[in-house]
Amino acid sequence: MLRVCVCVCGLLPYFYFQEVLPVLAAKHCIMQANAELHQSLLAKQKKRFGEEIARLQHATELVKTVASRYDEYVSVKDLSDKISRALTAAKKDNDFIYHDRVPEVKDLEHIGKAALVKATTITPPLSAKFTDLFEKMVPMAVQQSMSVYSQRKAETVNRLVGTMREATNLCNGVLASLNLPAALEDLSGDSIPQSIVEKARAIVQQGGLLSIEQLIRDLPELLTRNREILEESLKMLGDEESTDSELRSKFSQRWNRTPSGDLYKPLRAEGGNFRSVLDKAVQADQVVRERYNTHCEMIALLCKPEAELTAAIPSANPVKTLQGSEVVSVLRSQLAQLEEVKKEREGLEVEIKGVAFDMSSSFLTALAQDGAINEEALSMSQLDQSYGSYSQRVQASLRSQEELLGKVQASHQEFSKLKQSNSEANDREEVLKKLASAHDSYVEITSNLREGTKFYNDLTEILLKFQNKCSDIVFARKTERDELLKDLQQSIAREPSAPSFNVPAYQTNPAPTAADPTPAPRTVFVSSQSSMGRWEERIRGQLCTKEVTPLRDRWKCTGGEWSEIGVGCLKKWFTVF
């Protein structure tokens, strides 16, 4: 078998080059003939008819070489016919018309290389949409400082925006309690004030009761989903910790890995923070729901058609004498100023949220100069510089609103004295106050519910990351536990089951016994000459002697008749496959 393998290793290069080299030579001739054919067309365009004929003749010789030597590997009939037609036409035109001298093949200009592509300089960026992935990469210290700065910036923005929103809600509440501006528009005593009509239309455009009830129904589902994710994460930690405690009590000191209770303290603290956040969110949702229940009836009234709304508001005696009163004009002017303050406040809120400043350059400079970053000093300095003017404008807006509200309350007292006091007027004014308050509550409740929905959705993503973190560490601890259990089992199995004891002397030195008889060697019989002859005759009957003899002469392998037979078999196999 070894001799046959040696023969195979020697035969493979022979058969490889015997098949490949003729194919390569044929392809070389074909490609050169194609090149001469194309170059002849170029010579014809340049009016070099003699060169055209010479190149076609050379191409014809190359094609004949392929057809005579390598016909069994490739076929060049189509190319040969094409070159023959071109050569016949070129000779005919040259003999009858041009009479150009046909040069020798050796005198022809060598076919040069064709420039298929052209190198161009690279001008980054390669595309207008290119973004450098490493442009924003900064050291870890800078990244941590940027994270803390972002939190400080968010706190500053939320504080300023929250202050302005609280002031706006206070202003709306005061005006609703005074029934303004509806009281100024309701001097006729029987029609709906224009402000109430606009508020009712705004509520209907925002979806009315259906949209707000849908938001209220969605909150418990979002809350339940977040609680389930959190509880499942903490349950994974608890199950692994209990398993670790059981194994620690079982193996005592041999269980020498970090206790799960100590390892999971940061995760449990983070989970406790998430649970407290959810509890506070539940309380806030309850407050919003109670407020909705308080104003639900009036919000439903504002969603009704104008005719039904008019019928639901009590009518009162007209007070047309107050329409030209100076108090009414002053109140309207003051209310217009309050509206200007609120609009200015909305624009200021947009500007505050749009402030952007990249602190990475400042942090990088500080890190390069001092080797450390004083994040608090740099952040507070930049925040004061960026938001100092906005903070002053917010305080000025609050002072302006406070002054205007004081004037509005004083003017409203004079206006109330001038109005006719009766029960119908009081009932009508009370209903109008409730409608105005219901509109303001609807806007605030809708805003709170949408913020709550966004909060729960964002919290879901955070809790999923927390769950993945818990799952990863529990899986790692489980893998570590399995490996430690395997090592403990192996160590226990290697320990002796009983203490050492003394063995009697007669058992340690047994009496010598008679040597066992040596078995007779096995005789390997070589096949007889007759069987060798039969195999040789059978193989020779299938192979031709002229196929065996050249190979036998070329590769003489030791081993007698089997070498010749092996060579013949290999030749037969390569011919078949």
Side-chain angles (χ1 to χ4, degrees):
M1 187 65 185
L2 179 60
R3 293 172 182 173
V4 173
C5 293
V6 171
C7 292
V8 170
C9 295
L11 289 173
L12 286 178
Y14 169 75
F15 289 117
Y16 175 78
F17 289 108
Q18 188 181 23
E19 299 291 335
V20 172
L21 290 180
V23 175
L24 293 178
K27 288 186 176 293
H28 171 74
C29 294
I30 292 173
M31 291 180 182
Q32 190 173 359
N34 272 303
E36 295 291 349
L37 175 62
H38 289 288
Q39 195 68 18
S40 68
L41 298 176
L42 181 62
K44 183 178 181 180
Q45 292 178 0
K46 295 181 179 180
K47 307 297 183 181
R48 300 175 184 174
F49 304 103
E51 179 183 350
E52 177 190 5
I53 296 174
R55 291 192 180 279
L56 289 173
Q57 289 176 347
H58 187 208
T60 303
E61 294 175 359
L62 291 172
V63 170
K64 288 180 179 180
T65 302
V66 175
S68 61
R69 296 184 181 180
Y70 313 110
D71 187 38
E72 58 179 324
Y73 301 104
V74 293
S75 176
V76 291
K77 186 177 183 305
D78 295 339
L79 180 61
S80 178
D81 295 343
K82 186 176 181 180
I83 294 174
S84 298
R85 289 194 299 269
L87 179 60
T88 302
K91 283 184 176 181
K92 182 178 181 181
D93 292 342
N94 190 55
D95 292 342
F96 286 97
I97 302 174
Y98 306 113
H99 303 287
D100 194 6
R101 186 182 68 85
V102 179
E104 297 291 335
V105 175
K106 62 181 180 179
D107 297 334
L108 293 176
E109 183 180 355
H110 182 69
I111 300 175
K113 298 179 181 179
L116 301 180
V117 294
K118 182 179 179 181
T120 57
T121 58
I122 299 176
T123 55
L126 300 179
S127 173
K129 298 180 180 180
F130 173 77
T131 54
D132 190 358
L133 299 178
F134 302 97
E135 183 179 2
K136 297 182 179 180
M137 183 175 290
V138 294
M140 181 59 68
V142 176
Q143 180 66 28
Q144 293 174 352
S145 301
M146 287 292 296
S147 177
V148 178
Y149 167 75
S150 300
Q151 294 178 1
R152 295 182 187 274
K153 177 183 175 182
E155 292 174 357
T156 303
V157 172
N158 292 336
R159 177 174 53 81
L160 294 176
V161 172
T163 301
M164 290 190 295
R165 288 184 179 180
E166 289 178 0
T168 302
N169 293 335
L170 175 63
C171 178
N172 293 334
V174 171
L175 294 180
S177 65
L178 299 178
N179 192 26
L180 294 174
L184 299 179
E185 300 168 354
D186 190 38
L187 297 180
S188 62
D190 53 0
S191 62
I192 304 177
Q194 185 63 29
S195 60
I196 299 297
V197 174
E198 293 176 357
K199 291 177 180 179
R201 189 180 298 116
I203 289 178
V204 172
Q205 290 177 355
Q206 295 182 19
L209 281 177
L210 294 178
S211 64
I212 200 170
E213 288 177 354
Q214 182 63 38
L215 291 172
I216 291 175
R217 284 194 299 268
D218 291 342
L219 288 182
E221 297 179 2
L222 298 175
L223 174 64
T224 303
R225 181 178 61 180
N226 289 330
R227 282 198 182 278
E228 289 177 353
I229 295 174
L230 179 60
E231 296 302 329
E232 184 180 355
S233 303
L234 296 178
K235 184 177 180 297
M236 285 192 296
L237 299 179
D239 293 343
E240 201 282 328
E241 185 176 353
S242 62
T243 305
D244 181 73
S245 301
E246 292 176 1
L247 294 174
R248 188 175 301 279
S249 61
K250 181 178 180 180
F251 295 103
S252 62
Q253 295 181 354
R254 292 185 177 182
W255 198 253
N256 54 356
R257 71 168 186 168
T258 307
S260 298
D262 298 339
L263 190 63
Y264 295 157
K265 282 183 179 179
L267 292 175
R268 290 193 177 279
E270 189 175 359
N273 292 334
F274 288 139
R275 183 177 281 117
S276 62
V277 167
L278 288 175
D279 294 339
K280 292 180 181 178
V282 170
Q283 297 176 1
D285 294 344
Q286 185 63 30
V287 172
V288 173
R289 191 173 290 104
E290 291 176 356
R291 186 170 183 181
Y292 170 73
N293 293 333
T294 303
H295 299 278
C296 177
E297 184 179 355
M298 288 298 167
I299 294 175
L301 184 59
L302 287 172
C303 295
K304 292 182 178 181
E306 186 174 348
E308 296 183 15
L309 182 59
T310 304
I313 300 176
S315 60
N317 294 329
V319 283
K320 296 181 180 179
T321 56
L322 294 177
Q323 291 183 358
S325 175
E326 182 181 357
V327 176
V328 174
S329 301
V330 172
L331 265 177
R332 286 177 176 170
S333 175
Q334 293 170 349
L335 292 176
Q337 294 178 13
L338 276 177
E339 288 298 324
E340 290 294 329
V341 170
K342 290 192 286 186
K343 289 182 180 180
E344 180 184 356
R345 197 172 290 160
E346 292 176 357
L348 184 59
E349 179 178 343
V350 174
E351 292 181 12
I352 291 175
K353 290 182 177 179
V355 173
F357 183 79
D358 188 11
M359 285 292 293
S360 59
S361 57
S362 302
F363 289 146
L364 286 172
T365 304
L367 183 62
Q369 293 178 352
D370 304 333
I373 300 176
N374 188 357
E375 182 274 330
E376 184 176 1
L378 293 175
S379 297
M380 295 306 296
S381 174
Q382 181 59 41
L383 290 175
D384 292 340
Q385 180 180 355
S386 300
Y387 294 99
S389 59
Y390 292 107
S391 180
Q392 295 176 1
R393 292 172 61 182
V394 169
Q395 296 299 325
S397 176
L398 296 180
R399 289 192 297 268
S400 176
Q401 174 180 302
E402 186 177 358
E403 294 176 1
L404 286 173
L405 284 178
K407 295 179 180 179
V408 167
Q409 289 175 344
S411 301
H412 183 266
Q413 290 180 356
E414 297 180 8
F415 175 75
S416 299
K417 293 178 181 178
L418 295 177
K419 289 182 66 177
Q420 181 179 1
S421 300
N422 54 38
S423 59
E424 294 179 355
N426 294 334
D427 294 341
R428 179 179 177 83
E429 185 174 358
E430 188 67 25
V431 172
L432 293 177
K433 289 180 181 180
K434 290 181 180 180
L435 291 174
S437 179
H439 168 267
D440 297 336
S441 298
Y442 178 86
V443 173
E444 186 176 357
I445 290 170
T446 303
S447 176
N448 292 337
L449 290 175
R450 287 175 179 169
E451 290 179 358
T453 303
K454 183 178 181 301
F455 163 77
Y456 283 126
N457 290 329
D458 295 342
L459 184 61
T460 300
E461 297 181 2
I462 298 173
L463 289 176
L464 287 175
K465 293 180 181 179
F466 176 73
Q467 186 183 29
N468 292 334
K469 187 192 300 183
C470 294
S471 177
D472 292 342
I473 192 171
V474 167
F475 178 77
R477 293 285 288 179
K478 182 178 180 299
T479 305
E480 181 185 11
R481 180 189 68 199
D482 295 341
E483 293 178 355
L484 186 56
L485 280 174
K486 182 179 178 181
D487 295 340
L488 287 175
Q489 290 172 359
Q490 293 177 356
S491 63
I492 292 173
R494 287 193 296 266
E495 290 180 356
S497 57
S500 60
F501 53 89
N502 296 325
V503 181
Y506 74 90
Q507 294 182 2
T508 58
N509 297 320
T513 59
D516 296 333
T518 304
R522 298 179 63 184
T523 303
V524 179
F525 295 96
V526 183
S527 301
S528 62
Q529 185 67 26
S530 59
S531 62
M532 294 281 291
R534 286 196 300 270
W535 279 102
E536 182 177 358
E537 290 175 1
R538 183 175 299 176
I539 295 174
R540 286 180 181 276
Q542 298 177 1
L543 302 178
C544 181
T545 306
K546 65 179 180 181
E547 296 176 355
V548 177
T549 304
L551 293 174
R552 181 185 59 189
D553 296 337
R554 182 167 299 183
W555 297 287
K556 290 185 178 180
C557 302
T558 60
E561 295 295 326
W562 278 105
S563 301
E564 177 181 335
I565 295 170
V567 170
C569 292
L570 290 174
K571 177 61 178 177
K572 184 64 176 179
W573 293 339
F574 279 104
T575 304
V576 173
F577 291 100

